[in-house]
Amino acid sequence: MTRTILIEPITAQAFAPFGDLLDCAGDPDKIINQGMCGRYHDRATLDFADGRAGISLFRAEPRTLPLTLDLVERHPHGSQAFVPMSLDPFLVVVAPDTGDKPGTPRAFRTEPGQAINFHRGTWHGVLTPLHAPGLFAVVDRIGDGANLQEHWFETPYTVSD
Ligand SMILES: NC(=O)N[C@@H](O)C(=O)O
Ligand code: NI
């Protein structure tokens, strides 16, 4: 028996329980740099229980759909942002927390130019590009001790359009 998750277009409202959606929709909050730049100010909240913020670069293999989802994870000590370094949509999988394990996952596709920031402790699928080069800046917690909890589904899901 396969359980299918249909990919939804991402919106700030739908994603809000799981994280922040960053994009340049609408007017910028500030015009800076002698009028040459619009600043969309403070659009995601970094949240670390300990440690510090760090920026890493991920070069991930693009995935093809339909995708088999057998794992979600979460980071109890810090938020995690995925900032694509290309104008490509990518897949974002999240799941509600039901106490000690995730509930039914949801899958979103971003628009080109959008980034996301998972709230601290949000169950999520790992970084999942849909197009090469799969190059991302990732802002997350750098610190001592474990910051990863994994949940393997007994029955994998199929994520598709
Ligand atoms: N493990 C790691 O650095 N990345 C994962 O947390 C991920 O969500 O891709
Ligand atoms: Ni992660």
Side-chain angles (χ1 to χ4, degrees):
M1 175 193 75
T2 60
R3 300 180 291 183
T4 298
I5 298 170
L6 293 179
I7 300 171
E8 309 167 56
I10 197 166
T11 66
Q13 294 74 13
F15 194 63
F18 307 105
D20 308 298
L21 177 63
L22 295 93
D23 62 19
C24 293
D27 294 332
D29 300 299
K30 301 179 181 180
I31 299 295
I32 60 174
N33 300 351
Q34 294 81 37
M36 300 302 284
C37 175
R39 178 173 173 139
Y40 293 77
H41 181 68
D42 193 20
R43 294 302 180 93
T45 302
L46 303 186
D47 175 14
F48 303 112
D50 52 27
R52 62 175 174 83
I55 302 178
S56 305
L57 296 184
F58 284 28
R59 184 165 53 199
E61 293 300 320
R63 307 307 202 279
T64 54
L65 298 176
L67 177 83
T68 298
L69 177 73
D70 49 11
L71 164 70
V72 289
E73 61 170 44
R74 64 181 174 181
H75 309 295
H77 296 280
S79 54
Q80 185 174 50
F82 291 166
V83 185
M85 297 172 74
S86 66
L87 286 175
D88 295 306
F90 62 101
L91 188 70
V92 181
V93 172
V94 290
D97 185 25
T98 62
D100 62 343
K101 62 186 177 67
T104 303
R106 291 178 71 177
F108 296 99
R109 179 187 273 106
T110 63
E111 291 293 324
Q114 291 184 324
I116 61 98
N117 177 56
F118 296 121
H119 296 322
R120 175 155 65 106
T122 291
W123 289 108
H124 60 277
V126 298
L127 180 71
T128 308
L130 296 173
H131 304 271
L135 189 60
F136 290 73
V138 175
V139 184
D140 60 6
R141 173 198 177 260
I142 308 295
D144 298 330
N147 184 33
L148 174 65
Q149 183 183 353
E150 294 181 330
H151 177 85
W152 293 87
F153 294 111
E154 288 179 16
T155 305
Y157 291 88
T158 299
V159 179
S160 67
D161 282 314

